[in-house]
Structures are given as C-alpha cells and as structure tokens.
C-alpha cells in the first residue's frame, strides 16, 4: 500500500506559521490495544475505500506491528479517530530506518494540518529511538502530496519504482499502474528541522531558469505532457495540478502523463539527481543532493 498524506495549508515563505498544530484540538498517540489498532485500520479504510469493503491491511497485522514495538498511531479529536499512521523498521543499503507504510486522514478532516501533526509525531518517535531516517512511497503524479512531502516536511524524492505494487483495486489506484517514488526524510537535516517549526523556503523557478535550470517536461496543448530536454544539472518537471481529476475525465491523457513522468524521473535518478523542491504550481526541481 502506498502512503497518501493529505495536502496542507502552505506556510508563508521563510516565516513561522501554526502548521505544527492542527486547527482544532487533536491528540496524536501510539496504539496500545487491539481495539485501537482496529480503529486505525478502520479510519485508513475511509481514505482508501474498496469495492469489496476490505481494509487496506488486516487489523491484526496493525496490532502485531504495535505490539512488537513498531510505529502505529492514532489522531483523535474529542475522542473520535480522525487519522492514523503505521510503519515498521527497515534495513537497506543506508542502514536501519523507519518505513512508513501507510498514513492518512479522514476525508472530512483533510486540510486541517492533522497529517502534518501525524508525521511530526512519527518523526519524534523515530528520533527518540535513534532512527534518523524515515522512508515511504507515494504516487509522484499527485502534486499536492509531492508538495506536502518535499516542502512541508522537508523530505526528498530519491528513487523511482515502475509499477511498484502491481495492480491495486482500491478506489484511488484501480486502473492505473502503481509507479511510486521513494520519499527519504532525513530527520536531522536542517530542512527537516526547519519544516518541523513551520519554516519553508519557496522555490523561485524564475531564478532557477536564469541560473541555467532546464525544463525537461512541461504542459503542452490541451494540457498534454511535452518533453523539452533530456539532461541538465538542475531540471524542472511540470506536473498536472490534479491528476486524480484527469484520470476521471481523460484516462488516456492521464496515461500519457504517467509514461512521460516515468521517463524523465527514471533518467534523472539514474543521473544521481533527487527531487529537492516542489512549487505550489506543481513543478518538481531536480538537482544533486546536498552534501
């Protein structure tokens, strides 16, 4: 299951905002019972509804994760469960980390900074246990989630996987190939620390172009994707603002965007670049990672 996190209200450029706290009294806490694990899965099922009414993962598995010392949390408002997140420890070529398998906020609470509160709770949990990195996957065509991951949280997109999960039949992914980007959240990096305080720097695309950034994918006629270049040390990749709406109204166009984005991102990651910025108007900035 890919992780989808709600879009949030953007903080003012280089200024502190109230993003560290939701717009209403919300408590984020770890799951300590089977009943709470079941409640976590139930709220996540509202985010990924399926025609067969099945949950995105078995409730007993969520409880096993929590019971064995992995990360399972709930967000509550006045005792009502409104969001949840589930993750487990992973080990890759860069070492031990937390892999955030799934996180989401009930649809009627999206846009209320609950997703941000869940992720910051997850960050503190990981740091308290000596973990300095959290990873997860998401659909790179969903621009609002890319903005949340990269700009609001201070993470980077570091790898591209073609059809990572294979066919899925939930209400979001059905009928599409499940290409995913790996999000790498370096928790002790300066950008992650600043993001935790509600501080972010806007991406100045005009300045980047003036400095030599190359536009490799842009919007063409009828919002079709157009490849404009193949290389560059800093690359700009334009996305459609709302791929979910495009999938519903023009599935062939959505498919064209899937293939075009796959082509440019696979090439960029192979060249050692990462997505280090996302603009509010859905443009990726790819460059060599800092340090």
């Amino acid at each position: 299951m890919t992780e989808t996190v709600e879009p949030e209200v953007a903080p003012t450029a280089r200024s502190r905002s109230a993003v560290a706290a939701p717009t209403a009294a919300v408590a984020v806490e770890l799951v300590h019972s089977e009943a709470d694990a079941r409640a976590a899965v139930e709220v996540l099922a509202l985010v990924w509804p399926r025609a067969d009414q099945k949950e995105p993962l078995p409730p007993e598995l969520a409880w096993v994760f929590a019971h064995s010392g992995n990360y399972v949390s709930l967000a509550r408002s006045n005792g009502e469960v409104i969001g949840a997140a589930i993750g487990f420890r992973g080990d890759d070529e860069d070492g031990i980390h937390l892999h955030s398998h799934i996180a989401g906020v009930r649809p009627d609470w999206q846009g209320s900074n609950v997703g941000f509160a869940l992720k910051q709770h997850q960050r503190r949990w990981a740091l308290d246990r000596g973990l300095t990195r959290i990873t997860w996957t998401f659909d790179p065509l969903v621009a609002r989630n890319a903005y949340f991951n990269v700009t609001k949280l201070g993470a980077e997109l570091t790898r591209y996987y073609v059809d990572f999960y294979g066919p899925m039949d939930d209400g979001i992914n059905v009928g599409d190939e499940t290409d995913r980007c790996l999000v790498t959240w370096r928790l002790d990096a300066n950008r992650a620390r600043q993001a935790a305080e509600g501080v972010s720097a806007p991406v100045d695309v005009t300045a980047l172009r003036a400095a030599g950034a190359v536009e490799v994918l842009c919007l063409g006629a009828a919002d079709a994707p157009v490849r404009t270049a193949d290389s560059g040390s800093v690359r700009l990749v334009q996305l459609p603002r709302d791929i979910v709406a495009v999938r519903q109204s023009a599935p062939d166009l959505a498919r064209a965007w899937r293939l075009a984005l796959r082509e440019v991102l696979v090439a960029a990651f192979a060249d050692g670049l990462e997505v280090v910025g996302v603009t509010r108007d859905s443009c990726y900035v790819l460059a060599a990672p800092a340090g």
Side-chain angles (χ1 to χ4, degrees), residues 27-130:
V28 181
E29 59 192 36
L30 294 175
V31 161
H32 292 293
S33 70
E34 183 275 337
D36 278 351
R38 189 169 298 277
V41 172
E42 288 174 354
V43 76
L44 292 170
L46 297 176
V47 182
W48 289 276
R50 293 169 48 124
D52 59 9
Q53 305 300 311
K54 289 184 178 179
E55 301 96 341
L57 76 165
E60 58 271 19
L61 181 60
W63 172 229
V64 168
F65 283 151
H67 189 263
S68 59
N70 287 289
Y71 182 84
V72 185
S73 68
L74 290 173
R76 284 191 172 98
S77 176
N78 296 320
E80 186 178 11
V81 177
I82 59 174
I86 298 173
F88 46 83
R89 288 171 176 82
D91 188 3
D92 59 17
E93 63 272 16
D94 295 318
I96 304 296
H97 61 282
L98 177 69
H99 184 75
S100 185
H101 176 58
I102 184 170
V105 175
R106 209 172 68 187
D108 55 323
W109 275 84
Q110 291 178 8
S112 300
N113 284 324
V114 179
F116 186 87
L118 275 167
K119 297 304 289 187
Q120 293 303 325
H121 182 274
Q122 191 178 69
R123 178 176 180 267
R124 291 190 297 271
W125 182 94
L127 287 170
D128 286 347
R129 287 154 182 80

Side-chain angles (χ1 to χ4, degrees), residues 39 61 67 177 179 206 208 237 240 259 284 291:
L61 181 60
H67 189 263
E177 290 182 89
D179 286 21
T206 301
L208 289 171
V237 176
L259 297 178
Y284 282 162

Side-chain angles (χ1 to χ4, degrees), residues 272-283:
L273 306 185
E274 297 181 356
V275 176
V276 299
V278 181
T279 70
R280 285 298 285 176
D281 59 352
S282 309
C283 181

